[in-house]
Every structure is written in structure tokens, then in C-alpha cells.
Amino acid sequence: MLVQDDERPVVVGYDDSVESRRALRWALEEARLRFLPLLICHAWQWPYPMLSVTHETTAVIRRMGSHILERGLALAHDLAPRAQVRGQLVEGSPGAALVSVSGAAELVAIGPRGSGGFDELKIGSTTVQVASHARCPVAVVRQPGHLRTDRVAIAVEDAHLESAELGLAFEEARLRRATLLVICLCPEGADDTRRVAVRFNTNVALWEERYPQLEVETMIETRSHVEVLRSAADRSDLMVVADKEHDDPPGLAIGPACQMLLREAPCTVMVNPSQAWLTSPRKGAHIMS
């Protein structure tokens, strides 16, 4: 794999859990598709609320973290011996560590939950923190609950068809040589969608001109947004979604639709955080009016 030193890596959070090993495999493939290096990040911290910790004790905990990172690097080497992979050991919480490195990353991959918590937990606090505060897209990697469909899906609100997520979805579909399903979410129960349909189809056509090799399917929906998103996720390998819809309360870190997908989607969900587009633009991120 030929890469440049200044290229932004694909980052994966790793804690040696089953979910993080799955995320590592997914991130390796994503890095290969993008011709980018992979950065495996593991965070370690003293797990007890004690004010006084000896240097020796801290060194032991750090060595344990280093051992976990080495296991991740060894797994990556076994899976892709020729890939450019490096590790980063960070002191602190996993969420804070991944948010910090996201500013220099092309993409962050993470499992829906880490090694802590309980078996019934569908989405962990670290994943929510990263998905809502990262400065690049965040892929929450899940074991597919269905046979591979070779489809990427995205749903955009009718009033915001210039959404930056459209560029992200087109680029992800191109990388995978997958069909792209673009859904226009109209107000629920709307009677007349003709004007929206014209704007929607015009905007999608502009993107299709930039990606002529893609097969693109479009839908205009007036059903419940949650119902539409759940149905699309059931039929896709990857679902691209914004962290919040435009009419969500400003105090929410993640909106209800995104929360639902993170908890229930049977496929990998790629979240585009609001902060992601405050940094330098990425491939496919240009907004069309």
C-alpha cells in the first residue's frame, strides 16, 4: 500500500473485545479501499477513584494497555501483512482519546460497545461520545444481521437536500462499488410531494454526474422517519446518517433518529457528526445547492 506521510489515517478504537476486533477488520478494509494507513488506538487509565497512585502501579496498568495494543497490531498484521498500520497508546478515557485523534483522521471506526458493560447493552457510552463529538465521520461497526446486499443507504430531509452526508454516501458507495439508495424524508403524512420531488431529483442528478459509475436508487417517503430508516438499514450493508436532524433540539448530542439506528440497525452505521465539517473538507464532501 503506497501512502503519503501527510495523509489522514483511518482510526480504529481497540480494546481486544469481540466488537473491537470486528471494527479492526472493517477498518482495515476501509483503509485498503481508500489507500490510507490504519491507526489502531487504545486508551488506558487507572480504573479506580483513588487520589494517590504509585508510579509502579501506573506502570503496571500502562503495560497492560500496551499488551492489548500489541494484540491489535498482531491481528492487523495477520489479516493484512502488507498494510501500513501503526499503534497509538493514550492515557485517558477511550472516548476522549478517539475524539482527540479524530481531528487528524479521515474516519474513525468503533464497535457498538466495548469490553465493559453488560451483554444486553446495545450501544455503549464511549460510542455515543465519539459519534457525537468526533471531527470526522464515525463508523459504528456491527456484524451484519442479513446477507450482504452491496447497498449503501442514506436518508435526507426534504428541506436540506444539499446535506453534506450525500457526498459521504456517494463516496462510500463508490469505494465499495455498491448500489446507493437515497431516500428523501418528507414531512410525515404530506399530501403533495411534487415540488420536493423536483428539488430532490435535481440535486441527486448533480451528484450522479460526479459519480457516473454508480447505480443510484431513489425514494420519496412520507412515512414515519424512524420506520423508513429502520427499513433501509434492514436492506443495506452501510447506513449513512447525520448525528442530528435539523429540527432536533440544539441541546441533544445525538438526535432520536441517529440514536435509533445506533441501537437497532443490523448493519454498520456511519455517523456524520456536526463537528466533522468544521475541519478541512474530505473527498465527496462538497455541498451542492
Side-chain angles (χ1 to χ4, degrees):
M1 178 185 295
L2 299 176
V3 296
Q4 301 297 323
D5 291 339
D6 60 347
E7 287 187 305
R8 305 166 71 91
V10 173
V11 174
V12 59
Y14 187 82
D15 64 2
D16 208 29
S17 64
V18 172
E19 288 80 5
S20 71
R21 290 195 290 272
R22 183 179 299 128
L24 189 151
R25 292 184 177 89
W26 189 93
L28 264 174
E29 176 63 11
E30 187 75 12
R32 184 191 69 80
L33 290 172
R34 292 170 177 264
F35 295 97
L36 292 177
L38 177 69
L39 174 64
I40 303 174
C41 182
H42 176 70
W44 67 277
Q45 61 183 340
W46 179 251
Y48 303 107
M50 296 176 61
L51 297 179
S52 178
V53 181
T54 67
H55 174 74
E56 291 77 10
T57 303
T58 302
V60 170
I61 300 298
R62 190 183 190 282
R63 282 198 299 271
M64 293 172 63
S66 180
H67 178 66
I68 290 175
L69 179 59
E70 289 172 1
R71 288 173 62 89
L73 289 167
L75 175 59
H77 179 75
D78 289 343
L79 293 170
R82 299 181 61 186
Q84 182 174 334
V85 182
R86 63 184 179 93
Q88 183 169 340
L89 188 64
V90 182
E91 181 178 5
S93 71
L98 290 172
V99 169
S100 177
V101 300
S102 71
E106 185 73 13
L107 170 72
V108 171
I110 189 173
R113 46 164 293 192
S115 56
F118 49 91
D119 293 341
E120 290 76 18
L121 186 66
K122 293 184 176 181
I123 191 76
S125 58
T126 294
T127 301
V128 173
Q129 180 183 358
V130 176
S132 57
H133 294 291
R135 292 184 173 270
C136 68
V138 176
V140 180
V141 182
R142 275 201 165 87
Q143 180 71 32
H146 49 244
L147 296 176
R148 181 171 172 174
T149 63
D150 291 320
R151 178 185 287 112
V152 173
I154 181 173
V156 294
E157 297 174 90
D158 70 328
H160 299 278
L161 299 178
E162 71 283 2
S163 166
E165 287 75 39
L166 266 176
L168 180 60
F170 267 87
E171 184 65 13
E172 291 300 322
R174 182 193 69 82
L175 289 170
R176 292 165 172 76
R177 298 182 181 179
T179 298
L180 177 62
L181 172 62
V182 185
I183 305 169
C184 178
L185 298 174
C186 296
E188 296 178 14
D191 293 327
D192 189 352
T193 61
R194 286 174 295 180
R195 182 172 297 180
V196 171
V198 171
R199 288 185 57 226
F200 172 67
N201 289 323
T202 300
N203 191 272
V204 172
L206 292 174
W207 282 106
E208 287 181 295
E209 288 181 5
R210 295 182 58 196
Y211 292 86
Q213 72 277 34
L214 281 188
E215 179 182 349
V216 180
E217 302 172 355
T218 58
M219 296 174 59
I220 297 177
E221 285 282 0
T222 60
R223 293 180 295 161
S224 159
H225 292 186
V226 169
E227 178 184 349
V228 172
L229 291 171
R230 185 181 289 115
S231 175
D234 286 341
R235 297 182 288 130
S236 305
D237 297 325
L238 177 69
M239 188 81 190
V240 177
V241 64
D243 58 350
K244 291 178 287 190
E245 294 185 319
H246 290 78
D247 57 353
D248 287 337
L252 287 180
I254 290 184
C258 183
Q259 289 185 42
M260 182 278 297
L261 284 173
L262 291 179
R263 289 194 310 268
E264 301 179 20
C267 65
T268 294
V269 176
M270 186 172 289
V271 180
N272 188 52
S274 304
Q275 278 90 320
W277 305 103
L278 299 179
T279 56
S280 59
R282 292 162 172 80
K283 297 176 182 178
H286 307 287
I287 301 175
M288 290 189 175
S289 58

